[in-house]
Amino acid sequence: MSTTSRIADRAAALPAIEREDVSLLLVLPGLFLFAAFMFFPMLYLLGISFTNARPSNLFAGGSFLTFGEATFVGLENYATVLADGAFWNSLGSTWLFVATSLVLKIGLGLGVALVVTNRRVRGARFLRSLLIIPMGLPAIFTITIWRGIFSSAQFGLANQLLNWLGAGTVAWLNERWAAFFAYNITEMWLAYPFMVIITVSALQDVPRELHEAAMVDGAGYFARFFHVTLPSVKRPVLFASILTAAASFQQFLIPYAFNEGGPARLNELIIVYGYREAFQFSQYGQGAAIMLVAVAFIGAFMWLNVKKGRLADGVDEA
């Protein structure tokens, strides 16, 4: 018998404690840690967003976990942020990045998953083990490699490929849409293993009888793909898409490591924008307001997709 079970049995033997109360007591430490590391930082961030916090006043006074000498300014930070054209450009660039990278990730993930689940492909299990390698590498390592590939210099691998094809050299990180394209390719590379894993799992659950019945009816490969395979994997792929879209919305390392959201802040995604306002321009209050607005947008996005995609159906009955 495990130590946890013995503790639970002894606690349940106490006359004043019901078994349901014991279950609650066992999860209390976890709830406390979750609240300490999740809710309190969020509440502190919310408090900072209503102040004129800067390094010079937030840490003044030496009091622990207070707002120092920062003063309450109400909704001034939110008004300043929402009136800033750079904020809306950043938000628009972020949503565009989420949409374009998501299309690439779904396309590559679904394509690769179909290949490695095809019975005609030899060594499919070995291929699956290779495909998840990017997940085991530190993200900053992978991003640094891709930054070298998209180097604006002639020795960059992307430029060498263009030269081999007879095209000219591209200043990848110095041109807005070239840099945006480089962001997307790198994001696709980082996230496609997750999409492949989810899609492969979904494809393995598609009953073979459905394909065989469709073949008897004369359906070709594409007809079976659109009318049998896609409907069967739609919900798992949609769920994975929502998660990876949320990750794309929070992407910081790629734009910051590539060119700090450049050129001229044109590709500054929302997290980079908030980080720069907070730590480079020392506007902690505005930085907190930006992050909370971003949290509100991504929260609304995920809620809407889960609701429209009916991904929560059956949860109440569980």
Side-chain angles (χ1 to χ4, degrees):
M1 180 181 294
S2 68
T3 303
T4 304
S5 299
R6 287 198 298 271
I7 293 174
D9 290 342
R10 290 176 182 175
L14 297 176
I17 301 178
E18 300 292 338
R19 181 166 293 276
E20 291 77 9
D21 299 329
V22 174
S23 303
L24 179 60
L25 288 175
L26 292 176
V27 300
L28 277 180
L31 289 176
F32 173 76
L33 292 175
F34 181 77
F37 289 100
M38 292 295 294
F39 287 131
F40 177 75
M42 288 295 293
L43 290 175
Y44 191 70
L45 187 71
L46 180 64
I48 289 180
S49 71
F50 293 116
T51 69
N52 63 345
R54 301 172 65 91
S56 58
N57 58 24
L58 183 61
F59 305 115
S63 299
F64 182 62
L65 295 179
T66 67
F67 300 124
E69 297 178 356
T71 57
F72 180 74
V73 296
L75 297 175
E76 181 179 321
N77 290 323
Y78 290 92
T80 303
V81 167
L82 294 177
D84 187 0
F87 168 78
W88 294 108
N89 174 73
S90 173
L91 191 63
S93 298
T94 302
W95 282 119
L96 183 61
F97 175 71
V98 170
T100 52
S101 66
L102 188 60
V103 170
L104 292 174
K105 285 182 283 190
I106 293 176
L108 181 64
L110 187 58
V112 172
L114 288 172
V115 170
V116 298
T117 54
N118 194 315
R119 287 177 295 171
R120 297 178 181 176
V121 175
R122 293 185 176 181
R125 290 186 177 181
F126 178 68
L127 286 176
R128 293 181 197 178
S129 62
L130 290 180
L131 291 171
I132 63 173
I133 286 180
M135 294 184 71
L137 300 176
I140 189 62
F141 171 79
T142 305
I143 291 169
T144 303
I145 295 295
W146 277 101
R147 188 185 188 284
I149 292 174
F150 286 110
S151 170
S152 297
Q154 192 170 3
F155 58 77
L157 188 60
N159 276 335
Q160 288 191 33
L161 179 62
L162 289 177
N163 291 333
W164 181 73
L165 294 173
T169 299
V170 175
W172 291 100
L173 305 183
N174 298 326
E175 297 177 6
R176 180 181 187 182
W177 297 115
F180 192 78
F181 174 79
Y183 291 0
N184 275 269
I185 297 298
T186 307
E187 171 72 1
M188 179 183 67
W189 177 262
L190 287 172
Y192 90 88
F194 174 71
M195 294 297 299
V196 170
I197 290 173
I198 298 296
T199 310
V200 165
S201 300
L203 287 172
Q204 289 176 332
D205 289 337
V206 179
R208 185 179 300 176
E209 292 76 11
L210 291 179
H211 283 282
E212 292 174 349
M215 292 175 68
V216 170
D217 291 340
Y221 176 82
F222 290 104
R224 297 199 306 275
F225 175 74
F226 286 109
H227 297 293
V228 176
T229 303
L230 274 186
S232 301
V233 304
K234 182 180 69 174
R235 285 169 66 88
V237 171
L238 178 59
F239 179 72
S241 300
I242 293 173
L243 293 181
T244 193
S248 298
F249 189 90
Q250 303 168 57
Q251 185 56 255
F252 173 82
L253 286 177
I254 292 175
Y256 195 78
F258 271 38
N259 55 2
E260 298 187 359
R265 304 183 69 176
L266 291 173
N267 286 324
E268 202 171 57
L269 303 187
I270 191 70
I271 302 300
V272 178
Y273 174 69
Y275 170 84
R276 177 166 285 164
E277 292 294 322
F279 296 106
Q280 291 191 359
F281 302 138
S282 299
Q283 297 289 345
Y284 286 3
Q286 291 183 24
I290 292 167
M291 294 304 180
L292 287 172
V293 172
V295 169
F297 272 104
I298 193 61
F301 168 79
M302 295 188 71
W303 175 82
L304 187 63
N305 279 278
V306 169
K307 186 175 179 61
K308 292 295 183 184
R310 304 178 65 182
L311 296 179
D313 286 2
V315 172
D316 295 336
E317 290 79 11

